[in-house]
Amino acid sequence: MIINDNILKYGEKAVFSLRELYSRYGYAPYKMSKFEEYDFYVKNKDFLISDGVITFTDTNGRLKALKPDVTLSIIKNSKDIPGFVQKLYYDENVYRVSESSHRFKEVMQVGLECIGDIDNYCRGEVVSLAAKSLLSIDKDVVLDISHLGIINAVFDKAAVPDDKRGYFISLMGEKNAHQLVDACKSLSISAEGTLLIEKLCRTYGKPEKVLPILHEIFEQVPDRSSLEALCEILQSLDDTDRDIINIDFSVVSDIKYYNGIVFKGFINGIPGSVLSGGQYDSLMTKMNKKSSAIGFAVYLDLLDRLENNKIKYDAETVLLYKSGENVCDIKRAISKISEKSGSVTVQRSLPDGFTYKALYVLEEGEVKLVENNA
C-alpha cells in the first residue's frame, strides 16, 4: 500500500520514520498493555513527568492505572543478562496531565531503551539516534547534552554537601550562576570551588568551543572519567549528528534516578523540548536491577504545533464542474489532476471563504487550471 505523505500529520509521519530508523539499528518493538497495577506507579512516582495518574478498579477489585509512562514497564520486564544489551523501541500512547491545560491527555510517544551491559559505544549510539530522530522530523533542530558525572565531579572538588546537591542541580538547570555563587558563599565553599561551579554553569555551546573549557576546568578536578566518557561519545558521532549538538549544563535530571549523560531535543517553532532522555542507572538500582540503561522519548503530541504553523487550506486541490457534465469526463479529470496533486475535492460550487492551493474547472469535458496558490 502506498501512503500519500501529504495527508499525514507531522506526528503520524514521525511514527513511520522513527520506527524505520530504530529497526535499522537493530532495536526490537516493545508492546505493553494500556494499564498496570497502580501500586507500581506509586512506588516510582518521583520518576514520572506528571503526578496525575488515571485509576480504575478491575473486576477482581484491584486498583489499576492507565499507563503514564513506558520506561518503567520496560525496566520491570527486563532481565539482567551479563554481557548482553537489550535494545527496544516503542510506539505507545501514555496518559498524563497536560502542562498547558492541566487536564488528562492522551500523548503519542515514540522512544527507545538500551538496557544491559552498556558501554560508551551504546551511549554514543543512543545519542546519535536521538540526533537522527530530530533530523528525521525537521532540519531546524538542536540537541542539548550534559553529563551529570561532570557536574558531580566539580561538586566533589568544591566539597558541595550531598544534601545540597539537589538544590545546586536545580540552580544549574535555571542557569542561575549568581544564586549558585551566593549558595557557595552560604556554605563557605572555597573561592576556587565557587569559581569552578560558576564557570561550569556558564559554559554553553558547540563541542569544539566547550571541550577546551572543560579540559581547563578538569585540570583542577581529580576524577576525569566523566569528561573522557563525554569526549569519547562525541567523537563517535558523525558530522551530521554533531552539527546539531550543544553542550549545555542546564540540561539536568533528577539525580535520584539519572546519572551520566542526559539530553534534550528542540525543534524551532515549538516551545519546550520534544525529546528527552539520558542514562538512568540509579532508577535501575531502585527497581532491583543490576544492569545499566539509557534511552529517550519523543513527544509526538507537541508536533501539532508544527502542523499549526503551516499555511492551512480547506482543500489541497478543487475541481469545479457544472451540472450536466458527463460523469466519465469528471472521472477522467480527477484522474488527470490526481497525477499531479494527489488529493482532489470535487464540487459544483464553493462557499465564501473556502481556501485551496489549486483550483481547476471542468467545462465541456476540458480541464483548466484557473488558480494556483502553492
Side-chain angles (χ1 to χ4, degrees):
M1 180 179 67
I2 298 175
I3 299 174
N4 184 353
D5 192 59
N6 291 324
I7 66 174
L8 295 177
K9 294 183 178 180
Y10 269 96
E12 293 168 330
K13 287 187 227 180
V15 169
F16 286 104
S17 62
L18 294 177
R19 283 164 55 182
E20 190 277 332
L21 171 65
Y22 305 153
S23 296
R24 200 176 347 127
Y25 278 77
Y27 286 73
Y30 176 86
K31 295 299 294 181
M32 64 174 290
S33 170
K34 282 186 169 59
F35 38 83
E36 289 265 15
E37 298 286 342
Y38 175 65
D39 284 350
F40 174 62
Y41 293 121
V42 170
K43 292 175 183 176
N44 299 284
K45 64 179 181 179
D46 290 344
F47 180 75
L48 300 176
I49 293 175
S50 168
D51 290 335
V53 178
I54 301 174
T55 60
F56 66 96
T57 303
D58 204 350
T59 54
N60 61 5
R62 302 189 67 147
L63 195 60
K64 295 273 193 174
L66 285 176
K67 66 176 185 286
D69 181 82
V70 180
T71 299
L72 289 171
S73 294
I74 291 179
I75 295 173
K76 185 181 77 168
N77 293 303
S78 67
K79 296 180 180 179
D80 291 315
I81 306 174
F84 183 72
V85 177
Q86 300 171 75
K87 297 183 177 184
L88 303 169
Y89 78 86
Y90 59 86
D91 165 18
E92 296 279 350
N93 288 354
V94 296
Y95 307 86
R96 57 178 59 142
V97 176
S98 167
E99 290 184 4
S100 56
S101 68
H102 304 292
R103 296 179 179 178
F104 281 106
K105 182 177 182 180
E106 186 176 21
V107 177
M108 188 165 51
Q109 190 179 84
V110 175
L112 62 79
E113 309 295 344
C114 189
I115 298 174
D117 193 3
I118 67 172
D119 55 15
N120 278 343
Y121 168 76
C122 297
R123 298 180 188 100
E125 180 180 81
V126 170
V127 172
S128 175
L129 285 171
K132 287 175 168 53
S133 296
L134 291 170
L135 288 167
S136 73
I137 298 169
D138 201 82
K139 298 307 175 188
D140 195 358
V141 296
V142 171
L143 183 66
D144 286 345
I145 70 173
S146 176
H147 200 295
L148 293 176
I150 289 176
I151 295 174
N152 276 314
V154 171
F155 286 176
D156 286 343
K157 173 62 180 177
V160 177
D162 289 344
D163 63 343
K164 299 296 182 182
R165 294 196 178 194
Y167 175 59
F168 272 58
I169 288 280
S170 68
L171 294 178
M172 292 283 291
E174 298 168 2
K175 293 188 178 181
N176 195 336
H178 178 74
Q179 201 162 337
L180 270 170
V181 171
D182 288 344
C184 288
K185 289 178 180 177
S186 69
L187 294 172
S188 299
I189 289 174
S190 68
E192 178 190 49
T194 299
L195 184 60
L196 289 177
I197 292 173
E198 181 183 11
K199 195 170 186 178
L200 188 67
C201 180
R202 296 185 186 278
T203 298
Y204 170 83
K206 294 293 181 184
E208 58 269 24
K209 170 191 171 185
V210 169
L211 289 178
I213 299 173
L214 291 179
H215 282 293
E216 183 181 311
I217 290 173
F218 270 73
E219 288 177 1
Q220 302 175 64
V221 178
D223 184 0
R224 297 178 57 86
S225 58
S226 54
L227 176 57
E228 290 167 357
L230 178 63
C231 290
E232 187 173 349
I233 290 168
L234 291 171
Q235 288 167 2
S236 72
L237 304 178
D238 59 41
D239 291 341
T240 304
D241 297 338
R242 201 159 38 240
D243 283 346
I244 69 165
I245 285 177
N246 287 322
I247 298 175
D248 182 355
F249 290 98
S250 73
V251 177
V252 292
S253 295
D254 194 326
I255 56 177
K256 297 195 300 293
Y257 297 101
Y258 286 91
N259 64 300
I261 196 162
V262 289
F263 45 89
K264 289 185 177 181
F266 302 86
I267 297 176
N268 187 28
I270 301 178
S273 60
V274 300
L275 181 151
S276 180
Q279 186 168 343
Y280 50 89
D281 295 353
S282 300
L283 176 62
M284 296 291 288
T285 301
K286 186 176 184 295
M287 295 182 67
N288 300 315
K289 302 290 183 178
K290 298 178 182 178
S291 300
S292 295
I294 183 172
F296 62 83
V298 183
Y299 308 113
L300 299 179
D301 60 307
L302 296 176
L303 302 188
D304 290 344
R305 293 176 183 266
L306 286 180
E307 200 76 33
N308 294 334
N309 290 338
K310 292 168 60 181
I311 298 175
K312 292 286 188 176
Y313 297 99
D314 295 311
E316 291 287 312
T317 304
V318 175
L319 171 64
L320 286 180
Y321 70 95
K322 295 179 180 179
S323 297
E325 287 286 347
N326 185 280
V327 172
C328 291
D329 288 342
I330 297 172
K331 294 184 72 173
R332 276 193 291 270
I334 295 169
S335 179
K336 182 178 180 180
I337 296 169
S338 295
E339 291 177 1
K340 298 179 181 179
S341 62
S343 172
V344 183
T345 297
V346 183
Q347 300 285 349
R348 290 202 303 273
S349 64
L350 297 176
D352 292 340
F354 192 91
T355 59
Y356 44 78
K357 277 190 177 180
L359 174 65
Y360 290 82
V361 173
L362 177 66
E363 292 181 348
E364 298 180 357
E366 294 295 321
V367 180
K368 298 178 181 178
L369 175 63
V370 297
E371 191 172 350
N372 189 348
N373 298 313

